[in-house]
Amino acid sequence: MQHRITTPGPLHDDQGRLTETGYAVSLIKQYDRSRVKASRLRIKEWDYYCIVSDCHALALTIADNGYMYMDSISLLDFEANSQGTKSVILPPFGKRSLPPASGRGDIHVSGKGYEMTFENDGKRRRLYGHMEHFPTGKPEDETLLFDVTLTNPPRDSMVIATPFAGKPHAFYYNQKINCLRAEGKVAHGDREYLFAPAHSFAVLDWGRGVWTYDNTWYWGSASGLADGVPFGFNIGYGFGDTSAASENMLFYNGIAHKLSQVRFEIPMRDGKEDYLAPWKFTSDDGRFEMDFSPLMDRSAMIDLKLLCSDQHQVFGRFTGKAVLDDGREIQVRNLTGFAEKVHNKW
């Protein structure tokens, strides 16, 4: 069962319940924070960008998680096998006011030693800022500066409105925009990392919701070219009641092609996930079959007892096949992207 939402209107009814559940290819339902029937401390909103080339990646997060604000930057160098992440967690003073939709709207945050801006005029997205004392593994950590512009948004994106069983006011409204062309650079100490639009692509993870306390999710994403044509995919599962629809979707030349179920096969070793060993992905209808060769595990573990986050975002190369709605088979070879498993108590 894959129910597609096609009727515009508010995301929530007057009782704070989702008016419709399922998937769409645009933000056809309008999110309005004032219609959410939950404490402001339970509402979670974030904009997350991941910009990837074959050599390096930059991940940027601006989030309002209700009881805390979080701003984060990650830089990964696949060739040097090095990575750094710095996150700033702040108490929720004042209003963060993230935009109610992804089509346009600016976000600016700043704090001691850092500043981040996401500008979006509806045609292009410019992401820029800096972070002092960004970790390098050296005795003297250095300032990181970034300035990247994203263009050429596809016609379609992955949108899903997901409820949580037994929790009528809990929900997740999520959009993933793949295949954004990226141009710009990151400067870190004496190194420069360039993103050229011919071979650099970004994904936006736009999320708004009220989550239940304990969740594990799986997410995978990649964007690039298949025989010169923009191609990407979004795969995932694990949270909420997805009986109305999954979030699995292919994108070919800007057009969405819906998939059913995709399973992540993470290798095990000594009873635990071996994240840097080769993975496999398989679908229930044979339309998505991929091997995944990991390059780097961007892992983070925070255990504050009541609050816990165990994250493994693994970057690597996808090789295999994807079948479009019309039966056309796309051969994928060494497409750079990521796959993750995240367990949160929040």
Side-chain angles (χ1 to χ4, degrees), residues 174-190:
N174 181 222
Q175 181 183 39
K176 306 279 182 29
I177 302 178
N178 283 69
C179 300
L180 293 160
R181 296 272 186 172
E183 181 173 16
K185 68 179 181 180
V186 180
H188 185 214
D190 59 357

Side-chain angles (χ1 to χ4, degrees), residues 28 34 45 56 59 81 94 141 177 205 241-242 249 258 326:
I28 191 169
S34 69
E45 302 179 340
H56 45 264
N81 193 31
D141 291 337
I177 302 178
D205 173 12
D241 177 3
T242 56
M249 195 173 285
K258 189 72 181 69
D326 61 5

Side-chain angles (χ1 to χ4, degrees), residues 246-297:
S246 73
E247 65 173 88
N248 302 311
M249 195 173 285
L250 306 174
F251 304 96
Y252 186 76
N253 205 21
I255 308 302
H257 299 259
K258 189 72 181 69
L259 301 175
S260 180
Q261 305 299 325
V262 175
R263 186 172 76 245
F264 289 44
E265 297 180 7
I266 305 174
M268 303 294 290
R269 183 177 181 181
D270 298 329
K272 296 182 179 180
E273 288 91 348
D274 186 0
Y275 290 104
L276 291 177
W279 301 25
K280 284 187 176 295
F281 297 86
T282 184
S283 61
D284 60 350
D285 54 10
R287 291 181 56 195
F288 189 87
E289 304 295 323
M290 291 285 169
D291 294 321
F292 179 63
S293 299
L295 295 170
M296 188 174 294
D297 179 9

Side-chain angles (χ1 to χ4, degrees), residues 22-284:
Y23 82 95
V25 297
S26 66
L27 288 180
I28 191 169
K29 295 295 186 183
Q30 289 78 53
Y31 170 75
D32 181 349
R33 184 183 173 105
S34 69
R35 296 176 75 97
V36 177
K37 303 300 183 183
S39 164
R40 64 181 288 269
L41 298 179
R42 296 299 304 159
I43 301 174
K44 303 185 189 307
E45 302 179 340
W46 65 76
D47 283 29
Y48 166 85
Y49 289 93
C50 189
I51 305 103
V52 178
S53 78
D54 285 339
C55 303
H56 45 264
L58 175 70
L60 307 168
T61 304
I62 296 178
D64 177 351
N65 286 326
Y67 49 80
M68 68 175 185
Y69 298 154
M70 188 186 75
D71 308 315
S72 183
I73 300 175
S74 294
L75 176 65
L76 301 97
D77 185 332
F78 304 141
E79 294 182 327
N81 193 31
S82 66
Q83 61 173 298
T85 294
K86 186 171 182 180
S87 301
V88 179
I89 296 176
L90 303 168
F93 294 145
K95 277 191 175 183
R96 185 142 269 199
S97 298
L98 272 65
S102 66
R104 63 174 58 244
D106 301 340
I107 308 172
H108 175 79
V109 296
S110 62
K112 184 177 180 181
Y114 83 99
E115 189 172 11
M116 298 172 65
T117 300
F118 297 169
E119 289 182 353
N120 177 14
D121 64 5
K123 296 181 180 179
R124 67 172 194 159
R125 301 166 189 266
R126 183 183 173 207
L127 320 174
Y128 61 94
H130 74 275
M131 180 78 76
E132 295 178 6
H133 306 297
F134 191 82
T136 61
K138 301 177 181 178
E140 293 290 333
D141 291 337
E142 298 166 299
T143 296
L144 179 145
L145 300 99
F146 66 93
D147 193 341
V148 181
T149 297
L150 308 181
T151 56
N152 296 100
R155 188 196 74 176
D156 294 343
S157 60
M158 193 294 301
V159 175
I160 190 165
T162 304
F164 289 79
K167 301 289 184 180
H169 296 137
F171 71 97
Y172 183 41
Y173 194 41
N174 181 222
Q175 181 183 39
K176 306 279 182 29
I177 302 178
N178 283 69
C179 300
L180 293 160
R181 296 272 186 172
E183 181 173 16
K185 68 179 181 180
V186 180
H188 185 214
D190 59 357
R191 293 292 306 274
E192 268 194 355
Y193 301 87
L194 300 179
F195 294 103
H199 50 71
S200 300
F201 295 86
V203 61
L204 166 64
D205 173 12
W206 182 92
R208 306 291 186 265
V210 174
W211 285 65
T212 53
Y213 172 63
D214 192 340
N215 289 278
T216 298
W217 73 72
Y218 299 79
W219 177 34
S221 178
S223 298
L225 299 174
D227 295 327
V229 178
F231 170 79
F233 58 80
N234 185 85
I235 53 177
Y237 58 93
F239 57 86
D241 177 3
T242 56
S243 58
S246 73
E247 65 173 88
N248 302 311
M249 195 173 285
L250 306 174
F251 304 96
Y252 186 76
N253 205 21
I255 308 302
H257 299 259
K258 189 72 181 69
L259 301 175
S260 180
Q261 305 299 325
V262 175
R263 186 172 76 245
F264 289 44
E265 297 180 7
I266 305 174
M268 303 294 290
R269 183 177 181 181
D270 298 329
K272 296 182 179 180
E273 288 91 348
D274 186 0
Y275 290 104
L276 291 177
W279 301 25
K280 284 187 176 295
F281 297 86
T282 184
S283 61
D284 60 350

Side-chain angles (χ1 to χ4, degrees), residues 285-319:
D285 54 10
R287 291 181 56 195
F288 189 87
E289 304 295 323
M290 291 285 169
D291 294 321
F292 179 63
S293 299
L295 295 170
M296 188 174 294
D297 179 9
R298 188 179 75 84
S299 62
M301 177 65 181
I302 301 173
D303 188 357
L304 303 177
K305 303 310 177 186
L306 288 178
L307 301 178
C308 177
S309 181
D310 185 5
Q311 306 181 26
H312 290 270
Q313 184 183 34
V314 181
F315 288 79
R317 322 271 196 211
F318 291 89
T319 297

